[in-house]
Amino acid sequence: MDASVWILNLVILAVVLAADLGRRKVTPMRLLRPVIVAVIIIPFFFKGAATSGRGLLLECAGLVVGLALGALAASFFRVSYDGEARRPVSWAGWPYAAVWIIVVAARIYFTYGASHVFSQQLGIWMLTNKITVGGLTDSLIFLSIAMLLGRTALLAAKARAATAHAQMVSAESAL
C-alpha cells in the first residue's frame, strides 16, 4: 500500500471536520464540496475497479461499509431551521468528530499494518482469495468516498426535512 490512502484519508478528515464541527449553515456549496472533493480525488488515487471475483466483492463491501459509517456519523448531526437566517443549520460536536477520527485512524493503521505488522498474513489472505493490492486499495478508497457522500446525503435530507417542518409550522401559525 502506498501513501495515497494516507493522503486521501487525511484530506477527507480535514475537509469534513472543518466543514461540520460546531454550528454551520447548510448551503448548496457545503453540500457540493464533498462531491467536488470526490471528483478531484478519484482520478488521482483510483486506478480501476476489479471487474470480477472477490476483488469486486471487496470493493462493493467497501462501498456498503462506507455508507453505513457515513450514516453513523450523520446520526450525530443535529439539523434545525434558523428562522432569522432563513436556512437550515447543523451542529456537530465531539461524538461526530470521534466517529471520523476513529475511522480514519483505523484506515491509516490498516494501511501501515499491511506493510509493517501483518503483511505476511494479509498477503496469504489476498493470494488465497485472489485479491490484488489494487483491489484492496480501491476498496479502502470506496469506503472513504462512500462515507463522505453518505454523510452528505443524510445532511441534505435532514436539512430538507428541517426546512419543510419550519415552513409547515410557519403556514400553520399564519392561519
Side-chain angles (χ1 to χ4, degrees), residues 91-108:
W91 185 89
W94 287 111
Y96 175 81
V99 170
W100 280 95
I101 291 168
I102 289 167
V103 169
V104 169
R107 288 191 304 238
I108 289 172

Side-chain angles (χ1 to χ4, degrees), residues 14 31 39 42 45 57 59 70-71 82 84 91 98-99 105 107 125 132 135 139 145 163 170:
L31 296 173
V39 167
I42 289 174
F45 299 106
L57 186 61
E59 290 169 350
D82 183 342
E84 286 185 27
W91 185 89
V99 170
R107 288 191 304 238
W125 178 82
T132 65
S139 69
I145 298 298
T163 301
S170 176

Side-chain angles (χ1 to χ4, degrees), residues 20-25 30 80-82 85 89-92:
D20 293 341
L21 284 182
R23 186 175 188 269
R24 303 277 190 224
K25 294 176 187 175
R30 181 165 171 216
S80 60
Y81 189 82
D82 183 342
V89 293
S90 68
W91 185 89

Side-chain angles (χ1 to χ4, degrees), residues 28-41:
M29 187 57 196
R30 181 165 171 216
L31 296 173
L32 282 174
R33 188 179 306 122
V35 176
I36 293 167
V37 167
V39 167
I40 291 170
I41 285 174

